[in-house]
Amino acid sequence: MQEVRLFSPASVANVSCGFDVLGFCLEPIGDEMVIRKVSKPGIHITKIEGQNLPLETKKNVAGVAGLALLEAQNYSGGFEIEIYKGIKAGSGIGSSAASSAGAVFGINHLLGSPYSAKELIPFAMKGEELASGAAHADNVSPVLLGGFTLVRCGKKPDVIALPSPSELYAAVIHPKIELKTSDSRSVLKQKILLEKAIQQWGNLAALVSGLYTEDYDLIGRALIDVIVEPSRSALIPGFNALKKAANEAGALGSGISGSGPSVFALCKGKDIAEKATHAMAKALGEYAIEFDTYCSKINTQGIKILSEK
Ligand code: HSE
């Protein structure tokens, strides 16, 4: 096998109470990538469509992630990568993660899968490090594993695949302003009150429990972020109006998707998710900002191979 074409999906990181540790994968939007074995050593980004991003390997998230994998394998050949961006950079729905994870998934596939999907995560994180200055795994993990994932940080991190309740849907709105993750991280407080930490870890544990037990009400009560959202929400035009609209439409809860500006709401059932999507679109309509919306089932597969030859 010489070439693979794949779809690498968008994702929602943090999920309110799980800053840098929780994420889930979306279905309807993502990047397409073509990855091809070549004899010239290294990673060669030969085409990027849909976004103005660097072709230079060491400045491109797919390039650095792919290089990390080749170095670990001591591989003497190379790969060409074409990227057809469906996800806008700085949108908050895992643009860099889709390209980083897609690159290592495709290369690993063409090498005969020396690594499991979980083992690919550290390579994909190299792309996240380049994009944001922090090697977090909360977007790349759900893209590589599908569904919801939880990262236990540490010297030897654990990435845990969590269940996705069958009726859980996401409504997402992307206000078309670019918010760089590095900028969105720079507004965060470095110290937090114990009282806030207690609320946050209770919420995170409750959310994880709600996913296992399909307790939608508990999921809704847990979708509260008392640490990061208060600092970041000012960067998102109409944020409070978007949350209000989603909640009034019947969403279980809502929050900032990743580092923003996208806002997500989790909902029980497709009908409510569609209502929440429309309600958020109507609310943002008041702000004269262009936007895209997505209504998505939780994508439990993650990256999908479209064709190979
Ligand atoms: N956890 C990251 C953040 C996700 O919120 O900064 C964005 O890449």
Side-chain angles (χ1 to χ4, degrees):
M1 204 193 317
Q2 293 299 310
E3 182 182 302
V4 64
R5 175 181 279 268
L6 53 84
F7 173 78
S8 190
S11 51
V12 171
N14 302 335
V15 201
S16 290
C17 50
F19 178 68
D20 272 2
V21 301
L22 200 60
F24 67 84
C25 197
L26 293 167
E27 239 171 30
I29 171 171
D31 295 346
E32 271 194 34
M33 300 173 81
V34 176
I35 299 169
R36 194 176 299 117
K37 244 186 207 172
V38 291
S39 52
K40 190 178 165 194
I43 300 285
H44 316 285
I45 317 277
T46 52
K47 197 194 258 189
I48 301 176
E49 283 184 7
Q51 286 282 278
N52 189 12
L53 293 166
L55 289 165
E56 203 180 311
T57 305
K58 290 196 168 163
K59 291 188 177 165
N60 184 290
V61 298
V64 296
L67 269 186
L69 194 161
L70 292 199
E71 278 163 18
Q73 280 287 299
N74 276 324
Y75 186 69
S76 57
F79 290 88
E80 283 180 357
I81 302 180
E82 296 171 11
I83 309 173
Y84 301 89
K85 291 295 297 175
I87 316 171
K88 293 209 166 47
S91 57
I93 47 172
S95 178
S96 53
S99 296
S100 311
V104 296
F105 182 96
I107 292 169
N108 187 52
H109 186 71
L110 293 174
L111 289 176
S113 300
Y115 298 108
S116 68
K118 226 180 229 188
E119 287 167 342
L120 290 175
I121 291 168
F123 302 124
M125 285 167 72
K126 296 281 177 196
E128 291 293 68
E129 192 170 15
L130 177 70
S132 73
H136 48 85
D138 50 344
N139 283 108
V140 294
S141 302
V143 175
L144 283 163
L145 303 184
F148 278 84
T149 57
L150 174 72
V151 182
R152 192 199 61 80
C153 311
K155 262 195 182 162
K156 279 193 89 186
D158 290 298
V159 179
I160 301 138
L162 302 172
S164 302
S166 56
E167 290 183 79
L168 203 57
Y169 281 75
V172 178
I173 187 159
H174 167 218
K176 290 194 187 173
I177 51 166
E178 186 182 354
L179 189 50
K180 287 201 172 81
T181 298
S182 49
D183 292 338
S184 193
R185 291 181 87 86
S186 71
V187 303
L188 300 179
K189 292 186 183 138
Q190 293 304 311
K191 289 188 176 163
I192 55 170
L193 286 175
L194 180 60
E195 178 198 338
K196 299 283 178 205
I198 292 167
Q199 285 174 42
Q200 195 89 349
W201 62 53
N203 282 331
L204 179 57
L207 179 50
V208 171
S209 172
L211 294 175
Y212 275 99
T213 55
E214 305 218 352
D215 185 336
Y216 294 91
D217 291 335
L218 182 61
I219 291 170
R221 289 198 298 282
L223 283 171
I224 295 171
D225 172 7
V226 295
I227 292 175
V228 172
E229 190 177 292
S231 303
R232 279 184 171 170
S233 53
L235 305 173
I236 302 172
F239 179 73
N240 290 332
L242 288 172
K243 273 191 83 125
K244 187 166 178 273
N247 294 346
E248 282 176 3
L252 299 166
S254 57
I256 302 171
S257 173
S259 56
S262 290
V263 172
F264 79 97
L266 282 177
C267 305
K268 185 179 180 189
K270 196 175 176 194
D271 285 355
I272 296 177
E274 280 172 353
K275 276 187 196 140
T277 309
H278 292 143
M280 289 197 288
K282 195 166 169 232
L284 201 61
E286 309 282 313
Y287 288 79
I289 293 171
E290 282 185 46
F291 58 83
D292 286 322
T293 57
Y294 309 99
C295 180
S296 173
K297 198 165 172 40
I298 308 304
N299 174 352
T300 53
Q301 180 180 358
I303 294 172
K304 190 162 64 184
I305 290 176
L306 301 175
S307 63
E308 51 194 353
K309 56 187 180 191

